[in-house]
Amino acid sequence: MNYNIIGYFIYLIITIFIILKVGKICYKNGNVFVLELIPNHADLCQKINQVLLLAYYLLNIGYCAMTLISWQKIISSTQLIETICIKTAVIIFIISILHYLNILIITKYAQKLIHNNKN
């Protein structure tokens, strides 16, 4: 039995599910932030939010697929579970960091816009 093939399928199913779920939540709630940055242009904000979602999916799913190369040979079911957990945790950690960076950048950019509009 090739544990690596089983691990790849389980890993991709879990991580793609997480990526799609997080992306859907960010897309649904992120439109408000984009609309704040570009007021009175709801259609443009919607399109920007769609492009951000697409880029998010491509970046994260592509990265997940690329990490399959770095897997070592798995020889037991225990090692299979450990590997899936570690690899999934790394993806969740990266998504979290990217999300916080996005919020930080958007917040700083919005503050800069507000400051420039006051002057």
Side-chain angles (χ1 to χ4, degrees), residues 19-20 50-66:
I19 290 167
L20 294 177
Q50 289 174 348
V51 170
L52 289 172
L53 179 65
L54 179 64
Y56 166 81
Y57 286 155
L58 292 174
L59 177 74
N60 288 293
I61 293 173
Y63 180 76
C64 288
M66 281 180 31

Side-chain angles (χ1 to χ4, degrees), residues 30-90:
N31 204 34
V32 175
F33 294 107
V34 178
L35 193 57
E36 282 289 320
L37 294 174
I38 310 169
N40 303 325
H41 293 87
D43 288 341
L44 177 64
C45 293
Q46 185 72 24
K47 296 294 182 194
I48 290 172
N49 207 19
Q50 289 174 348
V51 170
L52 289 172
L53 179 65
L54 179 64
Y56 166 81
Y57 286 155
L58 292 174
L59 177 74
N60 288 293
I61 293 173
Y63 180 76
C64 288
M66 281 180 31
T67 60
L68 295 178
I69 288 175
S70 67
W71 286 38
Q72 296 178 353
K73 183 167 177 57
I74 298 172
I75 55 174
S76 69
S77 58
T78 304
Q79 187 184 10
L80 173 66
I81 293 170
E82 291 172 354
T83 303
I84 291 170
C85 290
I86 291 170
K87 298 292 185 178
T88 304
V90 168

Side-chain angles (χ1 to χ4, degrees), residues 85-103:
C85 290
I86 291 170
K87 298 292 185 178
T88 304
V90 168
I91 293 298
I92 292 170
F93 178 74
I94 290 171
I95 290 172
S96 301
I97 295 296
L98 289 174
H99 178 69
Y100 283 115
L101 285 174
N102 277 341
I103 289 176

